[in-house]
Amino acid sequence: MYELYQVNILQSRGSAFNIGYYMGQKLKNKTIIGVYKEKMKPAIDIQQMESVFSAFAPHLIEELKGISEGLEISYKEAAAIFSGYDIPKMDAMGCSATITNDYYVRNYDFTPLLYDHIFSLVDSEVAYATAGFTQQVLGRLDGVNSEGLVMGLHFVSFKEFQTGISAWTAIRMVLDTCSDTDEAVKMLKEIPHAACYNFSIGDRSGNIAVVEASPMQVVVRENVSYLTCVNHFQQPEIHKKNREHIGFSQKRDAFMQDLKYQNLSINKMFQRFKDTQSPLFFKNYDELFGTLHTFAYSFSDSQVTTCLAQSNQVLSFRLSDWLKGEELLLSQMSGTIERENV
């Protein structure tokens, strides 16, 4: 069975509050808002949340306030639904990424039911500009900032699960405030993580890393020129925090490691990831493991390239041009979900 889906491209500039207000207005009456209301806790400790946000990205508090007014809901409710703080266990998601000195390419694999369907470009007065796919509105599944720092998340496990920051909110905090990989690693070591996640990271100087983060321990995996990242911890000291069965993740990692020796260009690597016949593309949407988008970034020219599943419609632009005021003309991307088990 085939099913079309769309992602809206939203572009906003200005104060943190106005950016949030714009997002709130655009999301009024959208299905995903009801889904998050149902999934999230009805209330969280606002004081604790604001304390954490104030330490890492205080402007996001103002953005939350803007979201609340845009949606015409209370700030207390908006914080519980969209902050990514003290959330219940969310269904597991998958992802595969390859990082080189020249580029970053990744697939995001999950279910369309918990997918914002938004690609957001934000030029804030108080933070680095960013472009990426949103999660829970405030957060980012993957993205890049105006300094050329790019990153994405990879779920590992719920071991040591605690009250803390979701991986997608952590990415937003890092992209908004960090200029390079070293700064990103430092912040990820300080953020109180709610669950076990990998973070794949690269910057325009060619400095690449994978941060393997659990609520109790954060370690860094580095390589001079080529790294891959999937859904299990590889550092021996935290290997016990993995899920019991990681063979599927290891198989994807081995495939990407083999690609290293082919010296692929970013365009060819992008095609490998988006190809429906690739070992990195999945159609298990009902098992929460279907490819929803492919995202790539070239460090040398700030070129962002992305597309949705089974789509020939590729969005490609230079973030540096958008920062100069060149608005994207495309307002929506389309993709196709093919359910294998129907």
Side-chain angles (χ1 to χ4, degrees):
M1 183 176 76
Y2 292 89
E3 174 185 322
L4 292 175
Y5 71 108
Q6 283 82 36
V7 163
N8 292 317
I9 301 169
L10 302 182
Q11 305 174 69
S12 55
R13 306 176 194 267
S15 70
F17 179 88
N18 287 341
I19 287 167
Y21 184 79
Y22 170 82
M23 292 293 286
Q25 285 200 314
K26 287 292 183 181
L27 287 163
K28 265 185 182 176
N29 304 316
K30 295 291 186 182
T31 304
I32 190 63
I33 301 302
V35 172
Y36 285 138
K37 282 184 178 180
E38 182 181 328
K39 290 278 186 181
M40 296 303 123
K41 295 178 179 179
I44 62 172
D45 188 320
I46 297 290
Q47 188 174 0
Q48 284 186 358
M49 182 275 291
E50 289 188 341
S51 176
V52 175
F53 273 50
S54 294
F56 298 102
H59 64 282
L60 294 182
I61 297 173
E62 291 303 307
E63 188 168 324
L64 276 171
K65 291 177 179 177
I67 291 171
S68 74
E69 290 207 18
L71 283 173
E72 297 181 354
I73 62 176
S74 70
Y75 169 59
K76 181 179 179 180
E77 186 178 9
I81 298 172
F82 303 116
S83 69
Y85 179 78
D86 191 18
I87 66 171
K89 290 180 180 179
M90 299 280 282
D91 295 313
M93 58 186 75
C95 301
S96 307
T98 292
I99 327 154
T100 76
N101 299 141
D102 299 317
Y103 59 75
Y104 176 101
V105 183
R106 92 179 213 116
N107 275 356
Y108 175 68
D109 310 303
F110 196 35
T111 169
L113 299 177
L114 285 170
Y115 188 57
D116 281 10
H117 295 85
I118 294 172
F119 183 82
S120 178
L121 295 99
V122 173
D123 189 2
S124 171
E125 295 172 351
V126 292
Y128 293 129
T130 61
F133 287 89
T134 77
Q135 179 71 2
Q136 217 176 341
V137 183
L138 194 77
R140 297 292 184 268
L141 295 168
D142 38 44
V144 62
N145 71 14
S146 49
E147 298 297 293
L149 176 68
V150 62
M151 65 187 300
L153 58 78
H154 309 251
F155 175 75
V156 173
S157 77
F158 286 121
K159 294 185 178 180
E160 301 175 350
F161 186 76
Q162 67 172 10
T163 297
I165 293 293
S166 69
W168 42 94
T169 297
I171 285 184
R172 180 68 191 281
M173 289 176 166
V174 169
L175 290 179
D176 275 24
T177 63
C178 297
S179 64
D180 58 28
T181 297
D182 290 339
E183 289 185 6
V185 169
K186 183 177 184 296
M187 179 172 281
L188 288 170
K189 287 181 176 180
E190 297 171 353
I191 286 175
H193 299 283
C196 295
Y197 273 84
N198 285 323
F199 296 91
S200 48
I201 310 169
D203 65 26
R204 63 184 176 190
S205 69
N207 187 12
I208 62 178
V210 170
V211 173
E212 303 188 346
S214 82
M216 301 300 172
Q217 191 175 6
V218 177
V219 297
V220 183
R221 182 158 52 88
E222 297 176 299
N223 187 285
V224 174
S225 61
Y226 190 93
L227 278 170
T228 58
C229 188
V230 279
N231 300 106
H232 65 279
F233 289 149
Q234 297 188 28
Q235 297 294 72
E237 60 264 42
I238 57 172
H239 201 264
K240 62 184 178 182
K241 303 178 196 293
N242 286 325
R243 284 170 283 182
E244 183 179 355
H245 303 291
I246 60 172
F248 185 45
S249 181
Q250 291 172 321
K251 185 176 180 180
R252 281 181 285 130
D253 191 61
F255 175 77
M256 289 188 294
Q257 284 292 334
D258 287 343
L259 292 179
K260 174 181 180 180
Y261 304 103
Q262 297 183 30
N263 294 316
L264 298 176
S265 67
I266 184 172
N267 291 331
K268 289 184 178 179
M269 186 69 80
F270 184 80
Q271 291 299 322
R272 288 292 181 96
F273 272 68
K274 74 182 287 288
D275 182 359
T276 58
Q277 303 305 310
S278 167
L280 302 174
F281 190 100
F282 301 96
K283 302 174 184 178
N284 308 99
Y285 297 97
D286 295 325
E287 285 77 47
L288 311 180
F289 208 99
T291 299
L292 290 169
H293 68 248
T294 303
F295 176 87
Y297 182 74
S298 171
F299 297 122
S300 63
D301 56 7
S302 80
Q303 191 84 17
V304 176
T305 306
T306 187
C307 72
L308 304 187
Q310 301 200 54
S311 176
N312 292 320
Q313 180 189 39
V314 176
L315 172 65
S316 187
F317 65 95
R318 289 190 179 184
L319 184 57
S320 57
D321 290 338
W322 187 81
L323 292 171
K324 295 173 185 175
E326 294 185 20
E327 296 286 297
L328 301 188
L329 300 179
L330 192 65
S331 62
Q332 192 175 75
M333 293 184 282
S334 298
T336 303
I337 289 170
E338 181 184 354
R339 299 186 186 275
E340 249 185 9
N341 299 326
V342 177

